[in-house]
Amino acid sequence: MSDSAEPHPIVAAEHAARRLTDVLGAAPDVAVVLGSGWADAVSLIGTPLSTVSYEDLPGFPPPSVPGHGGALSLVQVDGSNVLLIQGRIHMYEGHDPHVVVHPLRTAILAGSETVVITNGCGGINPDYGVGQLVVLRDHLNLTGKSPVGGPAAPDPYPIRFTDLTDAYSPALRALAREVDPDLAEGVYAGLGGPHYETPAEIAMLRTLGADLVGMSTVLETIAARHLGAEVLGMSLVTNAAAGMSGEALSHDEVVEAGRAARTSVGERLHGILAKIAAQN
Ligand code: 8IG
């Protein structure tokens, strides 16, 4: 990334954004990053008008499992163009933070001024049950990384010293609670993974003020705020965090929790996207 022959990562995302709008034939108004437990809900949001696979866009990494690459799909929700980002890139796959945020940067530079960043995660707050949706109020970036580090972005992009006060838009959080007044709000701790935590680490995170714990979201939120997009963060609790239930954590259980929550997740997300469309 520091090789001067390479474009700056934000310029690379600008190239990808141009290609994306050309292929889609339209610019997105809203982007949604679909995390684990959320992908199954896509069919409840709408029928894609067009889809572009990551392989056809510059700067997107090849799939880690052949034939299981990511894609960007455009769906309409009440007249608003919503870009669904399917196939999140994680730091634990060995990617640089700039690669992790490349799909979202591409979506924002193509026109998405509002982004919904979703994830599946562990619940630390004992009030949360498996299958529950939680709106993010704030985060703890415990990855030790930043997507705005490295060479400075060229003009006219903002300086790298990104303000993260109200990183998760108070207006969008209020709008989500209009759709479902019972939605809880919590603080998400983003760690590198891919291992889950020890019970001692969960006790530490609780002391630090975390309600939720996962391996994504925080870098994307920082990159989105740097480019001026408004962020709504949403978590699906797919398991109690380590040491909380007396049971071991299993990936299969996490996948099953996502499947079971498909309808409630899809309906909530559709309701929120319709509210955003009505505002725009
Ligand atoms: I799904 O309990 C999911 N992702 N770090 N801890 C962390 N990430 C997760 C967890 C969890 N559950």
Side-chain angles (χ1 to χ4, degrees):
M1 286 295 168
S2 60
D3 187 334
S4 58
E6 296 265 316
H8 187 278
I10 293 186
V11 176
E14 198 183 295
H15 295 325
R18 215 168 295 142
R19 183 76 203 280
L20 177 69
T21 34
D22 279 356
V23 179
L24 293 177
D29 305 305
V30 179
V32 184
V33 183
L34 292 161
S36 34
W38 293 75
D40 291 342
V42 166
S43 62
L44 291 152
I45 299 166
T47 308
L49 303 173
S50 47
T51 296
V52 185
S53 69
Y54 284 6
E55 286 147 86
D56 296 325
L57 293 169
F60 285 66
S64 50
V65 181
H68 290 269
L72 303 164
S73 293
L74 194 71
V75 299
Q76 280 211 325
V77 177
D78 294 359
S80 138
N81 285 335
V82 178
L83 188 71
L84 303 176
I85 302 177
Q86 298 160 277
R88 174 176 256 143
I89 300 162
H90 294 90
M91 238 174 54
Y92 61 68
E93 296 166 85
H95 295 299
D96 186 272
H98 285 292
V99 177
V100 171
V101 304
H102 184 69
L104 185 58
R105 267 190 181 141
T106 298
I108 292 168
L109 294 174
S112 313
E113 291 179 356
T114 303
V115 303
V116 182
I117 304 179
T118 73
N119 61 63
C121 69
I124 296 177
N125 187 321
D127 295 343
Y128 298 164
V130 168
Q132 185 173 342
L133 281 177
V134 181
V135 171
L136 303 199
R137 177 165 58 78
D138 207 341
H139 79 215
L140 300 167
N141 173 15
L142 301 176
T143 66
K145 306 282 181 188
S146 172
V148 286
D155 281 341
Y157 293 105
I159 58 165
R160 60 184 97 188
F161 304 107
T162 309
D163 174 42
L164 295 174
T165 317
D166 288 336
Y168 298 90
S169 161
L172 290 173
R173 285 154 51 197
L175 184 144
R177 278 195 309 272
E178 280 176 35
V179 172
D180 181 355
D182 294 334
L183 279 173
E185 283 201 343
V187 173
Y188 176 94
L191 280 70
H195 53 276
Y196 296 122
E197 294 68 36
T198 63
E201 286 164 345
I202 293 302
M204 172 189 76
L205 292 171
R206 190 183 305 121
T207 305
L208 295 178
D211 299 298
L212 305 155
V213 59
M215 307 172 190
S216 67
T217 301
V218 295
L219 300 180
E220 290 154 309
T221 294
I222 296 166
R225 294 304 298 144
H226 174 246
L227 292 177
E230 292 291 314
V231 177
L232 177 66
M234 295 202 59
S235 288
L236 171 67
V237 178
T238 59
N239 58 280
M244 297 201 43
S245 71
E247 307 271 312
L249 271 61
S250 98
H251 178 66
D252 289 346
E253 190 189 7
V254 160
V255 171
E256 181 46 38
R259 207 171 285 142
R262 176 180 174 273
T263 307
S264 67
V265 163
E267 284 172 356
R268 264 3 162 286
L269 188 52
H270 186 274
I272 289 166
L273 292 170
K275 284 257 182 206
I276 293 172
Q279 276 203 331
N280 287 348

